Amino acid sequence: MAKNLSLVLSITLLLLVIQPIRGHSFKSLQHLVGSHKGQTVKGLHEIKHYLSAFGYLKLNRSTGLSNDHASVKDEFDEHLELAIKSFQKNFHLNVTGRLDSSTLDVMMTPRCGVSDIDDNMSPNYALFPGKPKWGKKFLTYTINSGVTREVLDKLSFALQTGFEEWHKHTQFTFARGRPTSTSDIGIGIMHIDGPRKVLADSVAPTSGKMRFDADENWSINDKPNVDQIDMVSVATHEIGHIIGLGHSTHPDAVMYPYLNGGVIRRKLSQDDIDGVFALYGKP
């Protein structure tokens, strides 16, 4: 099979511009519950940066905001209200424009670092802008990482399991190989932002870039503990990005961006399958 491989999937370390909430838990932001337009509440700037990181709010001069963290004020203005409404609509929450407990609860859930796409397809899945995709279906991947053998073995198992799941429903064949050039660095585990925040991230075709957060308590067990993140579920999700799918708003979909500790989401839902068929056609 290796002789027929005509395209290398180079999955490498990519430092995306993401600014998720740092150092906060849902409990620590509990005082924001009920905040609404017209108020000034300490901590709202963290929500603004969160919404900016995942595609709901632009921090620039046109909105009177700044990318400088210190310059973002704790004022609940119309821009924040619209961003919260968009976030609530995207995840099937009650669209109020207020920071209710349900909205904050979703925000505080560990998630993928890839931005959400507002213009979801019907009904839930999304494709990247321009619908980028691979021109061939035989892809190889490599793993380069300085982590321990135990973590590397977990990653190898997670990737193999995730690739097999996508292979069941697509024309893709994935095989582990060796880098053919200095640019083919491979999948990496590195520090992103600490545990229980951004779990992993990746980019659309045809870059093939993926990374995992070394600070997470990763598990590959069938029943992870509530303090563990299932690496197989995360790997399967990131592979979906690699082949061209954006985030789904369906909570049962592999491409749903949030994943709590102890939760497994390894099998493609019909929404995931519909999305990949929309991009590549049926096998």
Side-chain angles (χ1 to χ4, degrees):
M1 181 177 66
K3 294 181 180 179
N4 295 325
L5 296 176
S6 56
L7 184 64
V8 173
L9 175 59
S10 171
I11 304 178
T12 185
L13 307 181
L14 177 73
L15 186 59
L16 298 181
V17 182
I18 52 178
Q19 294 178 321
I21 294 180
R22 296 178 172 85
H24 290 282
S25 65
F26 176 57
K27 182 178 179 180
S28 69
L29 293 178
Q30 186 72 35
H31 68 284
L32 294 178
V33 173
S35 300
H36 57 85
K37 185 173 70 172
Q39 293 184 319
T40 298
V41 185
K42 185 177 181 180
L44 281 176
H45 68 281
E46 299 282 7
I47 301 298
K48 291 180 180 180
H49 277 284
Y50 181 96
L51 292 169
S52 171
F54 298 117
Y56 298 93
L57 180 66
K58 292 183 179 180
L59 300 184
N60 54 41
R61 292 181 180 179
S62 65
T63 59
L65 301 172
S66 168
N67 281 311
D68 180 6
H69 196 281
S71 299
V72 179
K73 307 301 182 183
D74 288 328
E75 298 174 354
F76 204 125
D77 54 22
E78 65 274 16
H79 304 296
L80 179 56
E81 182 184 52
L82 288 173
I84 291 173
K85 285 183 176 180
S86 179
F87 180 87
Q88 291 169 331
K89 181 179 178 181
N90 208 32
F91 292 105
H92 309 295
L93 300 168
N94 190 19
V95 181
T96 64
R98 293 170 174 256
L99 280 174
D100 53 44
S101 59
S102 297
T103 302
L104 276 174
D105 200 10
V106 173
M107 289 181 175
M108 295 301 99
T109 303
R111 61 161 291 157
C112 172
V114 176
S115 293
D116 300 329
I117 299 171
D118 292 337
D119 186 19
N120 282 295
M121 308 297 287
S122 177
N124 298 296
Y125 67 81
L127 309 178
F128 287 103
K131 301 180 181 179
K133 62 181 181 179
W134 295 94
K136 298 182 179 180
K137 307 303 188 301
F138 296 97
L139 308 178
T140 64
Y141 66 95
T142 60
I143 303 174
N144 278 9
S145 180
V147 296
T148 65
R149 169 55 60 180
E150 179 184 2
V151 176
L152 191 59
D153 287 344
K154 287 183 179 180
L155 179 59
S156 298
F157 175 82
L159 288 168
Q160 179 181 350
T161 306
F163 284 134
E164 288 174 354
E165 178 63 17
W166 283 103
H167 175 69
K168 293 176 185 177
H169 305 280
T170 69
Q171 302 176 44
F172 282 103
T173 298
F174 304 92
R176 187 169 179 176
R178 295 179 177 275
T180 57
S181 71
T182 55
S183 64
D184 301 328
I185 299 175
I187 297 166
I189 290 188
M190 63 179 295
H191 298 278
I192 299 179
D193 66 353
R196 311 290 287 190
K197 298 166 189 169
V198 170
L199 304 173
D201 53 29
S202 49
V203 294
T206 53
S207 296
K209 304 177 191 294
M210 184 190 304
R211 66 177 185 168
F212 293 77
D213 193 338
D215 288 332
E216 302 299 337
N217 184 10
W218 295 110
S219 169
I220 57 173
N221 297 328
D222 291 338
K223 295 181 179 180
N225 297 328
V226 293
D227 63 339
Q228 295 177 314
I229 299 296
D230 182 43
M231 184 177 271
V232 178
S233 298
V234 174
T236 308
H237 175 97
E238 298 304 328
I239 293 168
H241 288 318
I242 291 297
I243 62 178
L245 293 184
H247 283 148
S248 171
T249 63
H250 196 295
D252 293 332
V254 161
M255 296 312 298
Y256 188 72
Y258 293 94
L259 186 74
N260 259 318
V263 175
I264 283 183
R265 199 182 300 127
R266 300 179 176 183
K267 301 298 182 181
L268 300 191
S269 70
Q270 189 59 51
D271 187 65
D272 299 308
I273 297 170
D274 290 343
V276 77
F277 283 179
L279 190 58
Y280 291 98
K282 295 184 178 181

